[in-house]
Amino acid sequence: MKCEWKQITIEELGTIITGKTPTTKKYEYWGGEIPFVTPKDLQGTKHIVRTERFITDMGMENVKGSKLPPDAICVSCIGNIGYVGMTTKNCISNQQINSIIVNQNHDADFIYYLMKSLWTFFKNYEGQSTTLSILNKTQFSRIKIRIPQLKIQKEIAEILSCLDDKIELNNKINENLEQQAQAIYKSWFVNFEPFGGVKPDSWKTEDIYSLANIIYGAPFASKKFNTEGIGKPIIRIRDIRNQQFTTYTTEEHPKGYLLQPGDIVVGMDGEFRPYIWGTDEAWLNQRICVFKNKRPYGKAFLYCTLKPLLHAVEQTQVATTVIHIGKKDFDAFRISVPDSKALDRFDALTTPMIEQIVSNCFENKRLAFVRDALLPKLISGKVNFDNLCP
């Protein structure tokens, strides 16, 4: 066979960097513009397009030995091992991540997919520990892998990247559609521009229940959870952001609610943000709720109304561990409800946006399925690329 795959170790791919967290007592290290990558930021798309936390230039200087350039491959190696992401700009990761700065002899995109293909290996390693799983830098560096010559690496990466590029394009379109809906909402219902800059007298102040019913997740038994796809998927707080679930349950709780495409779902611990559900139905687990719109349409209005209300609660919460939100907070929400004519006009503009967002999410799921089916076949060396080899 012309295209031979050789066995090497991860450390032969380039420079291995273990992340580090800037001194937490130094407040001037935090809140800047430099992305600070944690395992939470690796569970979405190929490229790390956003992070929950940022550091300042001073923070970067404090841990400059852990600086990552664009196209570094980040792999979570403590706790939930095996999540992978690719940097797009200079950044820092925390100590739960080992990263590969790929040398010129290898293709960074291919190495990203190669790390993703090691998911089963990483999960098996994680399962060997009865406490916190740790794959330290030395262990990570010495993992053996098989790779082809650079030309084949690029060919494989190009095939898989086409699918991921389309997924990321759909995500950008969705972000743009959401921004458009929010811009119209602000113009109409905050600045009152179509109404001469003044809120009409006919609009009434109501509670949130005038717009939506709130459905709370049920306390499903964790002992009935599985990762083999048996039963129906169950959505937990950590799954909301990326809308990717790996947990299933055979239980059908009497108070259970199946999350539907287009539902507005909110996690009640840690962060309080509304998300438009854009994938298959799934059971709603406890500490998650759905705001079920009462009007035939109007999901965009409800979404845009909820976002600042939830953010305000998040900003005022103080807790030593994890912040929480609940019915008492929701009961206190007060909103200005426009008349039916204004709402119907707003719905006519924004409902197609919400429908397109959900449609793009479903297309992303199909693209990811194709990518994940191709990945092991291409990375294993079973596909014949002899015609590309000298």
Side-chain angles (χ1 to χ4, degrees):
M1 182 176 180
K2 294 181 180 179
C3 295
E4 294 185 358
W5 291 55
K6 62 180 180 179
Q7 181 172 281
I8 64 173
T9 59
I10 286 179
E11 64 185 347
E12 294 178 71
L13 296 173
T15 304
I16 311 300
I17 300 289
T18 298
K20 188 175 181 181
T21 300
T23 308
T24 55
K25 293 180 181 179
K26 295 280 188 178
Y27 294 107
E28 60 266 33
Y29 291 168
W30 297 95
E33 297 182 354
I34 300 168
F36 182 71
V37 182
T38 71
K40 276 187 177 181
D41 305 314
L42 305 180
Q43 300 177 34
T45 56
K46 172 183 175 181
H47 292 104
I48 304 169
V49 294
R50 64 172 62 86
T51 58
E52 289 190 355
R53 303 179 72 186
F54 294 83
I55 60 174
T56 62
D57 290 333
M58 289 181 64
M60 171 79 84
E61 183 65 22
N62 181 256
V63 290
K64 59 184 178 181
S66 298
K67 179 180 176 180
L68 299 175
D71 296 331
I73 314 303
C74 300
V75 183
S76 61
C77 290
I78 296 180
N80 292 320
I81 297 176
Y83 290 104
V84 185
M86 192 172 188
T87 62
T88 59
K89 58 182 70 175
N90 291 337
C91 62
I92 293 291
S93 81
N94 74 354
Q95 59 271 22
Q96 293 175 277
I97 293 173
N98 285 316
S99 300
I100 309 166
I101 302 176
V102 180
N103 62 33
Q104 61 183 5
N105 298 322
H106 302 96
D107 182 77
D109 290 289
F110 174 82
I111 301 307
Y112 164 81
Y113 290 112
L114 179 61
M115 291 300 106
K116 281 185 68 70
S117 74
L118 295 176
W119 175 260
T120 301
F121 170 83
F122 288 135
K123 290 296 107 179
N124 287 338
Y125 186 93
E126 181 181 310
Q128 295 174 13
S129 174
T130 57
T131 56
L132 184 64
S133 302
I134 299 176
L135 181 61
N136 65 39
K137 182 178 179 180
T138 299
Q139 295 166 324
F140 179 74
S141 300
R142 293 177 180 174
I143 293 173
K144 294 180 180 179
I145 53 176
R146 292 179 66 251
I147 60 168
Q149 57 187 267
L150 182 59
K151 186 175 182 180
I152 305 306
Q153 291 180 33
K154 292 181 179 293
E155 185 72 19
I156 291 173
E158 183 177 353
I159 294 170
L160 296 170
S161 292
C162 286
L163 296 165
D164 271 322
D165 289 346
K166 176 56 176 171
I167 290 173
E168 293 186 3
L169 176 60
N170 282 344
N171 287 337
K172 289 179 180 178
I173 291 172
N174 283 358
E175 288 178 7
N176 181 264
L177 288 169
E178 181 185 329
Q179 289 168 2
Q180 288 184 55
Q182 289 180 332
I184 299 171
Y185 179 90
K186 182 179 180 181
S187 171
W188 287 30
F189 307 118
V190 177
N191 297 330
F192 311 113
E193 292 176 8
F195 314 103
V198 180
K199 183 173 75 171
D201 294 335
S202 60
W203 296 9
K204 298 179 180 179
T205 299
E206 304 276 2
D207 59 32
I208 194 65
Y209 302 105
S210 65
L211 287 182
N213 293 316
I214 303 177
I215 302 171
Y216 297 93
F220 284 83
S222 59
K223 64 182 179 181
K224 295 184 180 180
F225 291 176
N226 70 87
T227 56
E228 288 76 43
I230 303 171
K232 292 182 178 179
I234 183 166
I235 185 74
R236 296 185 283 179
I237 288 178
R238 67 187 184 191
D239 305 320
I240 297 175
R241 180 180 177 186
N242 297 315
Q243 304 198 11
Q244 297 175 350
F245 36 73
T246 57
T247 306
Y248 293 74
T249 182
T250 55
E251 182 181 5
E252 294 196 7
H253 198 285
K255 295 183 179 180
Y257 173 78
L258 279 171
L259 194 59
Q260 300 297 312
D263 276 348
I264 298 174
V265 58
V266 175
M268 300 170 66
D269 297 328
E271 65 171 28
F272 315 139
R273 299 168 195 175
Y275 292 90
I276 300 168
W277 188 249
T279 186
D280 298 325
E281 65 179 22
W283 288 118
L284 197 67
N285 200 27
Q286 60 187 341
R287 302 305 300 161
I288 307 175
C289 64
V290 163
F291 285 76
K292 202 73 173 177
N293 191 52
K294 287 185 174 180
R295 301 172 60 248
Y297 300 100
K299 288 182 179 178
F301 182 81
L302 177 59
Y303 176 86
C304 293
T305 298
L306 278 173
K307 198 165 186 178
L309 292 171
L310 294 168
H311 179 72
V313 176
E314 183 176 316
Q315 295 303 303
T316 56
Q317 285 256 9
V318 177
T320 55
T321 53
V322 180
I323 58 176
H324 307 282
I325 196 171
K327 185 177 183 300
K328 184 177 180 181
D329 300 289
F330 300 147
D331 290 346
F333 285 173
R334 291 292 179 269
I335 58 176
S336 179
V337 181
D339 57 57
S340 297
K341 184 179 179 180
L343 285 174
D344 289 344
R345 289 171 57 202
F346 182 77
D347 292 349
L349 288 173
T350 57
T351 296
M353 298 178 185
I354 299 297
E355 292 173 347
Q356 187 61 55
I357 288 172
V358 174
S359 176
N360 287 344
C361 288
F362 270 96
E363 182 180 26
N364 281 356
K365 183 178 179 181
R366 293 191 293 270
L367 292 167
F369 178 83
V370 174
R371 177 202 62 203
D372 294 343
L374 284 173
L375 179 61
K377 296 179 181 179
L378 293 172
I379 295 294
S380 67
K382 293 180 180 179
V383 177
N384 191 339
F385 286 95
D386 282 357
N387 61 319
L388 297 176
C389 298

